[in-house]
Amino acid sequence: MSDKVLLDYGSGGRASHRLIKDLFLKYLGGPALNRLDDAAFIEDMHGPLAMSTDTFTIYPLFFPGGDIGSLAVHGTVNDVAMLGAEPRYLSCAFLLEEGLDMQDLENIVRSMSEAARNCGVQVVTGDTKVVPRGAADKMFINTTGIGRIIADPAPSGSRAEPGDAVLISGTMGDHGLAVLAHRQGLSFETDILSDSRALNGLTCNLIRQVGNVHVFRDPTRGGLATTLNEIASQSGMEILVHEERIPVHREVQAGCSFLGLDPLYLANEGKFISILPETLAEKALELMRSHPAGRDAALIGHVREGHRGRVILKTSLGGHRLLDMLEGEQLPRIC
Amino acid sequence: MSDKVLLDYGSGGRASHRLIKDLFLKYLGGPALNRLDDAAFIEDMHGPLAMSTDTFTIYPLFFPGGDIGSLAVHGTVNDVAMLGAEPRYLSCAFLLEEGLDMQDLENIVRSMSEAARNCGVQVVTGDTKVVPRGAADKMFINTTGIGRIIADPAPSGSRAEPGDAVLISGTMGDHGLAVLAHRQGLSFETDILSDSRALNGLTCNLIRQVGNVHVFRDPTRGGLATTLNEIASQSGMEILVHEERIPVHREVQAGCSFLGLDPLYLANEGKFISILPETLAEKALELMRSHPAGRDAALIGHVREGHRGRVILKTSLGGHRLLDMLEGEQLPRIC
């Protein structure tokens, strides 16, 4: 194979088949994918399912703490997990620009393979398109995932109830700031790494061992502030959160001050919000803190009746301010 | 909303939500999509499933006989149908270039909505990304579909057997030539239209009323020749087809001669190959010809033992030639 991606690799012909065999099957192969039929055969899915899709356009392809390949696995696995499901199967569609470095592609596919293995999902079907130079920027990846819902009823943004506790699984803003700092060539005292990781291990534990989770949601694009607004709007509730209880890495805080950004609006790729009855909050926190994906978990606020769809931040100085949804684009191509 | 797509529309914030509400939910909304959770809740999927994914990069977005929106529905619906399944649910991920015309986007989403309704599938989850001007060419769409497999065993390229008849559902090369002629501004006596259409109605009828279909496959990229080679290779069989039995529109034949192209290597988006026992061929043909998607169906050849993975074309003049797989890229961005 050439050391650059050629248009031929997307033709559906012999060159495409070589790419599929020598690269995709090598790293992602398994009983379903190896069949090379038009669709994957999935034998063992019964009961209610969760399905989610995401196209990843992150720039640059490699960033501190991850790359577009592992991110594309984690992102969709997490979205499926947020519905109270065990993610099981992924489709994976590559959109490649002619001339992309083959070594970069191989590193990314290998990274996807490791990420998929680590979170227990199989890539069962795929697609590759190559577009001429200039028609895309290097590489985009779509992953779509399905999983079996194990929570009954399934968590939903609409199920937040008065009195519920609002928990987050860790620090806010790491992914957004890591990518931005890397793009701009900024360096801080210590490296800020993306928090890109799979959350399904911990969310499934919470469902099985704590139960009755009303809402799971991962605060990706738009950050914690936007996601809380979505939940408030879906459920028709008001949410109050305490600024000083929201964990933010010192370096992220410093970087945000320097760049004029707010960590509550920065994307996260390995954190989730969990909303459940106050009586279960302690047990949930304990379980979260005992898991690598939830070490810095915190109870940050409560749901209450009040102004429908409003999120209020109680500041460190004791004041209150409206925490609004992100209006426009703070940072393009963050995921 | 602006009359052009803005970066803000992909932010995950307020502008994204307006786009989702005013455009995507307007046309594609339904019980699952309207929930606006991270993943779709699918209640009624049991038993073995088929899953398939495809990213559509076709240029131009609108072409004679279709557009990227309906194509993105048909393409994935057809791939799911090829596994002997009833397609049921689609995810849909838009990748938009900043500055894309909003009216074009609306027309495409409306076209997807009609196509989905016509083939009985629901869009249950989605994603929208906007990348800065120049990072993508106008618009790409990924659709991923799941369906319930109703054939037992499921058809597969590996199941072609000696003595099986090889049927195709209609004329070859229409999609490829229509797009190419449109791109180059060529005009022929009559317009050549893409054959983009859903095939699941007819394939499900074949399974239910004829049964025992060994292989379904839609000859998209790489055309009939490449797809037959895939089947020969998966099953370890030899396939013999008769050139004069392969239906090709007169205008497509003329256009191909003019442009130096071979219709057997051109993409189709509304045709399928069906391979089944010779004894069922007449019944299958009759059923196919009575359906709008199979009016020009023909028995074009047979499967036999012989040289593993080889496809032989018996020419109109009585000679034999090896029908090889497409080597490189004949026509970029055809689907």
Side-chain angles (χ1 to χ4, degrees), chain A residues 213-258:
Chain A
V213 174
H214 290 167
V215 184
F216 275 143
R217 203 61 165 269
D218 59 339
T220 53
R221 278 184 292 177
L224 178 68
T226 300
T227 309
L228 288 176
N229 269 276
E230 289 172 357
I231 298 167
S233 154
Q234 280 181 274
S235 59
M237 293 287 141
E238 183 174 272
I239 297 176
L240 174 79
V241 294
H242 301 265
E243 189 174 25
E244 87 273 4
R245 297 197 197 161
I246 301 172
V248 178
H249 275 139
R250 206 165 48 87
E251 294 81 7
V252 171
Q253 193 66 71
C256 280
S257 302
F258 179 71

Coordinates of all heavy atoms in Angstrom, one line a residue, chain A residues 213-258:
Chain A
V213 N -31.7 5.7 38.9 CA -31.1 6.9 38.3 C -32.1 7.6 37.4 O -32.6 7.0 36.5 CB -29.8 6.6 37.5 CG1 -29.3 7.8 36.8 CG2 -28.8 5.9 38.4
H214 N -32.4 8.8 37.7 CA -33.4 9.6 36.9 C -32.8 10.1 35.6 O -33.4 10.0 34.5 CB -34.0 10.7 37.7 CG -34.9 10.2 38.8 ND1 -35.3 11.0 39.8 CD2 -35.4 9.0 39.1 CE1 -36.1 10.4 40.6 NE2 -36.2 9.1 40.2
V215 N -31.6 10.6 35.7 CA -30.9 11.2 34.5 C -29.5 10.9 34.5 O -28.8 10.9 35.5 CB -31.0 12.8 34.5 CG1 -30.4 13.4 33.2 CG2 -32.4 13.3 34.8
F216 N -29.0 10.4 33.3 CA -27.6 10.4 33.0 C -27.4 11.3 31.8 O -28.2 11.3 30.8 CB -27.1 9.0 32.5 CG -26.7 8.0 33.6 CD1 -27.1 6.7 33.5 CD2 -26.1 8.4 34.8 CE1 -26.7 5.7 34.4 CE2 -25.7 7.5 35.7 CZ -26.1 6.2 35.6
R217 N -26.3 12.1 31.8 CA -26.0 12.9 30.6 C -24.6 13.3 30.6 O -24.0 13.6 31.7 CB -26.9 14.2 30.8 CG -27.2 14.9 29.5 CD -28.0 14.0 28.6 NE -28.6 14.8 27.5 CZ -29.8 15.3 27.5 NH1 -30.5 15.1 28.6 NH2 -30.2 16.0 26.5
D218 N -23.9 13.2 29.5 CA -22.5 13.6 29.4 C -22.4 15.0 28.9 O -22.9 15.3 27.8 CB -21.6 12.6 28.8 CG -22.0 12.3 27.3 OD1 -23.1 12.6 26.9 OD2 -21.1 11.8 26.6
P219 N -21.7 15.9 29.6 CA -21.7 17.3 29.2 C -20.5 17.5 28.2 O -19.5 18.0 28.6 CB -21.4 18.0 30.5 CG -20.7 17.0 31.4 CD -21.2 15.7 31.0
T220 N -20.8 17.2 26.9 CA -19.8 17.3 25.9 C -19.8 18.8 25.3 O -19.6 19.7 26.1 CB -20.0 16.2 24.8 OG1 -21.3 16.3 24.4 CG2 -19.7 14.9 25.4
R221 N -20.1 18.9 24.0 CA -20.2 20.3 23.4 C -21.1 21.2 24.3 O -22.2 20.8 24.6 CB -20.8 20.2 22.0 CG -19.8 19.8 21.0 CD -20.5 19.9 19.6 NE -21.5 18.8 19.5 CZ -22.3 18.7 18.4 NH1 -22.2 19.5 17.4 NH2 -23.2 17.7 18.3
G222 N -20.7 22.4 24.6 CA -21.5 23.3 25.3 C -21.3 23.2 26.8 O -21.7 24.0 27.6
G223 N -20.6 22.1 27.2 CA -20.2 21.9 28.6 C -21.3 21.7 29.6 O -22.5 21.5 29.3
L224 N -20.9 21.7 30.9 CA -21.9 21.5 32.0 C -23.1 22.4 31.9 O -24.2 22.0 32.1 CB -21.1 21.6 33.3 CG -22.0 21.4 34.6 CD1 -22.4 20.0 34.7 CD2 -21.2 21.8 35.8
A225 N -22.8 23.7 31.7 CA -23.8 24.7 31.7 C -24.9 24.4 30.7 O -26.1 24.4 31.0 CB -23.3 26.1 31.5
T226 N -24.5 24.1 29.5 CA -25.5 23.8 28.4 C -26.3 22.6 28.7 O -27.5 22.5 28.6 CB -24.8 23.8 27.1 OG1 -24.1 25.0 26.8 CG2 -25.8 23.5 25.9
T227 N -25.6 21.5 29.2 CA -26.2 20.3 29.4 C -27.3 20.4 30.6 O -28.4 19.8 30.5 CB -25.2 19.2 29.7 OG1 -24.2 19.2 28.7 CG2 -25.8 17.8 29.7
L228 N -26.9 21.1 31.6 CA -27.9 21.3 32.7 C -29.1 22.1 32.2 O -30.2 21.8 32.6 CB -27.2 22.1 33.9 CG -26.2 21.3 34.7 CD1 -25.6 22.2 35.8 CD2 -26.8 20.1 35.4
N229 N -28.9 23.0 31.3 CA -30.0 23.8 30.7 C -30.9 22.8 29.9 O -32.1 22.9 30.0 CB -29.5 24.9 29.8 CG -29.4 26.2 30.6 OD1 -30.3 26.9 30.7 ND2 -28.2 26.5 31.0
E230 N -30.3 21.9 29.2 CA -31.1 20.9 28.4 C -32.0 20.1 29.4 O -33.1 19.9 29.1 CB -30.2 20.0 27.6 CG -29.5 20.6 26.5 CD -28.4 19.8 25.8 OE1 -28.2 18.6 26.3 OE2 -27.9 20.2 24.8
I231 N -31.4 19.6 30.5 CA -32.1 18.8 31.4 C -33.2 19.6 32.1 O -34.4 19.2 32.2 CB -31.2 18.3 32.5 CG1 -30.1 17.3 31.9 CG2 -32.0 17.5 33.6 CD1 -29.0 17.0 32.8
A232 N -32.9 20.9 32.4 CA -34.0 21.7 33.1 C -35.1 22.0 32.1 O -36.3 21.9 32.5 CB -33.3 23.1 33.5
S233 N -34.7 22.1 30.8 CA -35.8 22.4 29.8 C -36.6 21.1 29.5 O -37.8 21.2 29.4 CB -35.1 22.9 28.6 OG -35.8 22.7 27.4
Q234 N -35.9 20.0 29.4 CA -36.7 18.7 29.1 C -37.6 18.4 30.3 O -38.7 17.8 30.0 CB -35.7 17.5 29.0 CG -35.0 17.5 27.6 CD -34.1 16.2 27.5 OE1 -33.0 16.3 27.9 NE2 -34.6 15.1 27.1
S235 N -37.2 18.6 31.5 CA -38.0 18.2 32.7 C -38.9 19.2 33.2 O -39.8 19.0 34.0 CB -37.0 17.8 33.8 OG -36.2 18.9 34.2
G236 N -38.7 20.5 32.7 CA -39.5 21.6 33.2 C -39.2 22.0 34.6 O -40.0 22.5 35.4
M237 N -38.0 21.7 35.1 CA -37.6 22.0 36.4 C -36.6 23.1 36.5 O -36.1 23.6 35.5 CB -36.9 20.7 37.0 CG -37.8 19.5 37.2 SD -38.9 19.9 38.6 CE -40.4 19.1 38.0
E238 N -36.3 23.5 37.7 CA -35.2 24.5 37.9 C -34.0 23.7 38.6 O -34.3 22.8 39.4 CB -35.6 25.6 38.8 CG -34.6 26.7 39.0 CD -35.2 27.9 39.8 OE1 -35.8 28.8 39.2 OE2 -35.1 27.9 41.0
I239 N -32.8 24.1 38.2 CA -31.6 23.4 38.8 C -30.8 24.4 39.5 O -30.5 25.5 38.9 CB -30.9 22.6 37.7 CG1 -31.7 21.5 37.2 CG2 -29.6 22.0 38.3 CD1 -31.1 20.7 36.0
L240 N -30.4 24.2 40.7 CA -29.5 25.1 41.4 C -28.1 24.3 41.7 O -28.1 23.2 42.2 CB -30.1 25.4 42.8 CG -29.2 26.3 43.7 CD1 -29.1 27.7 43.3 CD2 -29.6 26.2 45.2
V241 N -27.0 24.9 41.2 CA -25.7 24.3 41.5 C -24.8 25.3 42.2 O -25.0 26.5 42.0 CB -25.0 23.8 40.2 CG1 -25.8 22.6 39.6 CG2 -24.9 24.9 39.2
H242 N -23.9 24.8 43.0 CA -23.0 25.6 43.8 C -21.6 25.6 43.1 O -21.0 24.6 43.0 CB -22.9 25.0 45.2 CG -24.2 24.9 45.9 ND1 -24.6 25.8 46.8 CD2 -25.2 24.0 45.9 CE1 -25.8 25.5 47.3 NE2 -26.2 24.4 46.7
E243 N -21.2 26.8 42.8 CA -20.0 27.0 42.1 C -18.8 26.3 42.8 O -18.0 25.6 42.1 CB -19.6 28.5 41.9 CG -18.5 28.7 40.9 CD -18.3 30.2 40.7 OE1 -18.7 31.0 41.5 OE2 -17.8 30.5 39.6
E244 N -18.7 26.5 44.1 CA -17.5 26.0 44.8 C -17.5 24.4 44.9 O -16.5 23.9 45.2 CB -17.2 26.7 46.1 CG -17.9 26.0 47.3 CD -19.4 26.6 47.5 OE1 -19.8 27.4 46.6 OE2 -20.0 26.2 48.4
R245 N -18.6 23.8 44.6 CA -18.6 22.3 44.7 C -18.3 21.7 43.3 O -18.1 20.5 43.2 CB -20.0 21.9 45.0 CG -20.5 22.3 46.4 CD -21.6 21.5 46.9 NE -22.4 22.1 48.0 CZ -23.6 21.8 48.3 NH1 -24.3 20.8 47.6 NH2 -24.2 22.4 49.3
I246 N -18.1 22.5 42.3 CA -17.8 21.9 41.0 C -16.3 21.8 40.8 O -15.6 22.7 40.8 CB -18.4 22.9 39.8 CG1 -19.9 23.0 40.0 CG2 -18.0 22.3 38.5 CD1 -20.5 24.1 39.1
P247 N -15.9 20.5 40.7 CA -14.4 20.3 40.6 C -13.8 20.7 39.3 O -14.4 20.4 38.2 CB -14.3 18.8 40.8 CG -15.6 18.2 40.5 CD -16.6 19.3 40.7
V248 N -12.8 21.6 39.4 CA -12.1 22.0 38.2 C -10.6 21.9 38.5 O -10.2 22.4 39.6 CB -12.4 23.5 37.8 CG1 -11.6 23.9 36.6 CG2 -13.9 23.6 37.5
H249 N -9.8 21.3 37.6 CA -8.4 21.2 37.9 C -7.8 22.6 38.0 O -8.2 23.5 37.2 CB -7.7 20.5 36.7 CG -7.7 19.0 36.9 ND1 -7.9 18.1 35.8 CD2 -7.5 18.2 37.9 CE1 -7.8 16.9 36.2 NE2 -7.6 16.9 37.5
R250 N -6.8 22.7 38.8 CA -6.2 24.0 39.0 C -5.6 24.6 37.7 O -5.8 25.8 37.4 CB -5.0 23.9 40.1 CG -4.7 25.2 40.8 CD -3.9 24.9 42.0 NE -2.8 24.0 41.7 CZ -1.6 24.5 41.2 NH1 -1.3 25.7 41.1 NH2 -0.6 23.6 40.9
E251 N -5.0 23.7 36.9 CA -4.4 24.1 35.6 C -5.5 24.6 34.7 O -5.2 25.5 33.8 CB -3.6 23.0 35.0 CG -2.3 22.6 35.8 CD -2.6 21.7 36.9 OE1 -3.8 21.2 37.1 OE2 -1.7 21.4 37.7
V252 N -6.6 23.9 34.7 CA -7.7 24.3 33.8 C -8.2 25.6 34.2 O -8.5 26.5 33.3 CB -8.8 23.2 33.8 CG1 -10.0 23.6 33.0 CG2 -8.2 21.9 33.2
Q253 N -8.4 25.8 35.5 CA -8.9 27.1 36.0 C -7.9 28.2 35.6 O -8.3 29.3 35.0 CB -8.9 27.0 37.5 CG -9.7 28.2 38.2 CD -11.2 28.1 37.8 OE1 -11.9 27.2 38.3 NE2 -11.6 29.0 37.0
A254 N -6.6 28.0 35.7 CA -5.6 29.0 35.3 C -5.6 29.3 33.8 O -5.6 30.4 33.4 CB -4.2 28.5 35.8
G255 N -5.7 28.2 33.1 CA -5.8 28.3 31.6 C -7.0 29.1 31.2 O -6.9 30.0 30.3
C256 N -8.1 28.8 31.8 CA -9.4 29.5 31.5 C -9.3 31.0 31.8 O -9.7 31.8 31.0 CB -10.5 28.9 32.2 SG -11.1 27.4 31.4
S257 N -8.7 31.3 32.9 CA -8.6 32.7 33.3 C -7.7 33.4 32.3 O -8.0 34.5 31.8 CB -7.9 32.9 34.7 OG -8.6 32.2 35.6
F258 N -6.6 32.8 31.9 CA -5.7 33.4 30.9 C -6.3 33.6 29.6 O -6.1 34.6 28.9 CB -4.5 32.4 30.8 CG -3.4 32.9 29.9 CD1 -2.6 34.0 30.2 CD2 -3.3 32.2 28.6 CE1 -1.7 34.4 29.3 CE2 -2.3 32.6 27.7 CZ -1.5 33.7 28.1

